[in-house]
Amino acid sequence: MNMKKSAFAVITTVSLLSFSLGSPMFAAGGTFKDISNVTGKDKINALKAQGLIKGISDTQFLPGSKVTTAQGVQFISGGLQLSLAAIDFNKAPVASSIFSKVKDNVWYTEAFINAYYNGIEIPANIDPAKPMTKELFTNFLIQGVEKAGNLPMINIVPVEIADGDSLDPSYQGSVQRSLKYNINTLDANGKFNPKSELTRAEAAVMLYNALEYLNSRSNATSGN
């Protein structure tokens, strides 16, 4: 494999999210109908309007449904628009040669391949059918965001997390950075709830926040 340049197209994608949440993009018929009482509903509909997420139908999102690992990787890969467009291969990559449980030629195959070759460290034995935890999704998302935005390594003062002892030690850094980037927030009790099984609504809101963070950095760099 010969990498000519970064394979990320996300900065262009991020600029699409710079519109106002009150814009005409949210005309009748363009939103999910089952998220009216969901925190972050405008963010979810914003992603839908840009074609970055899909529901089970044009009007149904199932916000409380649990996210499988396959769905979580699809959220990240599709939301950040990761692709292989800028990478040369001697032969096309095959998922089953990278992962022991990721099948070839199914709906989530491309998402895993794109995430892997864009620098997201996904374990070889990952189970696509397993429910995705908040800490694992955060870890994958932060890797994607930092590589997409070519973000520098930063030293941060760790936030006190009430249930920090429950965090997988290997995810502590990415979780802390997600709080620094305002991609995640702690709950009213100062907890992160790392082992909680992620819902579709939570995943979508985190993705939106990630794109907003990249957009803010892009604007700051360009002087806008």
Side-chain angles (χ1 to χ4, degrees), residues 39-52:
T39 300
K41 64 180 180 180
D42 287 342
K43 295 180 179 182
I44 297 171
N45 278 323
L47 293 175
K48 178 183 186 292
Q50 295 303 320
L52 297 179

Side-chain angles (χ1 to χ4, degrees), residues 27 65-68 73 82 91 96 101 107 149 156 169 202 207:
S65 179
K66 301 299 184 182
V67 175
T68 65
V73 172
L82 306 182
K91 61 179 181 179
S96 59
K101 299 177 183 177
W107 65 268
I156 62 175
E202 290 170 335
L207 175 61

Side-chain angles (χ1 to χ4, degrees), residues 3 18 29-30 33 56-57 61 69 75 84 109 121 123 128 134 156 160 162 165-166 179 185 209 211 222:
M3 290 194 180
S18 60
K33 305 303 183 184
I56 62 166
S57 73
F61 185 64
T69 297
F75 262 105
L84 306 183
T109 305
E121 298 177 1
K134 185 178 180 181
I156 62 175
E160 182 68 29
D165 290 344
S166 300
L179 297 171
T185 57
N209 291 344
L211 292 171
S222 64

Side-chain angles (χ1 to χ4, degrees), residues 94-172:
V94 178
S96 59
S97 68
I98 305 168
F99 307 104
S100 62
K101 299 177 183 177
V102 175
K103 297 179 180 179
D104 297 320
N105 302 316
V106 295
W107 65 268
Y108 58 76
T109 305
E110 185 178 10
F112 276 88
I113 291 175
N114 288 343
Y116 176 83
Y117 282 105
N118 279 279
I120 297 178
E121 298 177 1
I122 303 176
N125 65 346
I126 197 165
D127 185 351
K130 188 175 181 179
M132 196 168 215
T133 63
K134 185 178 180 181
E135 64 178 357
L136 180 60
F137 184 83
T138 296
N139 183 52
F140 288 170
L141 180 60
I142 294 303
Q143 288 184 61
V145 165
E146 291 178 338
K147 291 178 173 64
N150 194 26
L151 304 185
M153 294 295 293
I154 58 174
N155 292 320
I156 62 175
V157 178
V159 174
E160 182 68 29
I161 301 175
D163 56 352
D165 290 344
S166 300
L167 276 169
D168 185 309
S170 65
Y171 301 153
Q172 288 183 359

